[in-house]
Amino acid sequence: MEYIMRNCWVIVLSMQTGKQGRTGRPCSNSRCSTGSTVAALLLSLLQVLAVATASPYLIALAAAAAGVLPVTLLACLTVSLQPAKQLLDFADANHMVPAAIAPLKKFGVKWHIAVGLSLTLGLFISGH
């Protein structure tokens, strides 16, 4: 994701300043013809991040409803909702600033650790 966002930022800068892109050639891609197209691409990347962040919770909810996972796992999984919210809020606030988006990795790692520990704790409490 960082690679895509960095390249989108290069496209935005080349359109705003008239300078050449990273390859030394002007941007000739049809997707970088307008700034609104790049903004829409970045917005869609944020939507993909939101869906990817929400998917473990939805899968766990469906698995618990089907009886595959214990309900205690869902209770423990709620502990990781705060890091998920911080991740999405930070990405939403800083997605257009390449220098500010670097700490997003830290938020992603914190969220992954929180999800992993909460899943482990939920399985441990339930006795599985």
Side-chain angles (χ1 to χ4, degrees), residues 11 14-15 21 23 25-33:
I11 292 169
S14 67
M15 291 180 339
T23 61
R25 298 182 305 251
C27 182
S28 62
N29 190 345
S30 62
R31 284 197 276 173
C32 55
S33 60

Side-chain angles (χ1 to χ4, degrees), residues 45-105:
L45 288 173
L46 285 175
Q47 291 170 346
V48 168
L49 179 64
V51 169
T53 305
S55 63
Y57 302 104
L58 297 175
I59 292 169
L61 181 65
V68 177
L69 289 177
V71 179
T72 57
L73 187 124
L74 290 178
C76 291
L77 198 58
T78 59
V79 172
S80 65
L81 286 175
Q82 183 63 29
K85 184 179 179 334
Q86 290 174 349
L87 171 74
L88 293 175
D89 289 345
F90 185 82
D92 187 38
N94 298 307
H95 69 278
M96 293 298 285
V97 183
I101 202 69
L104 187 62
K105 291 178 189 177

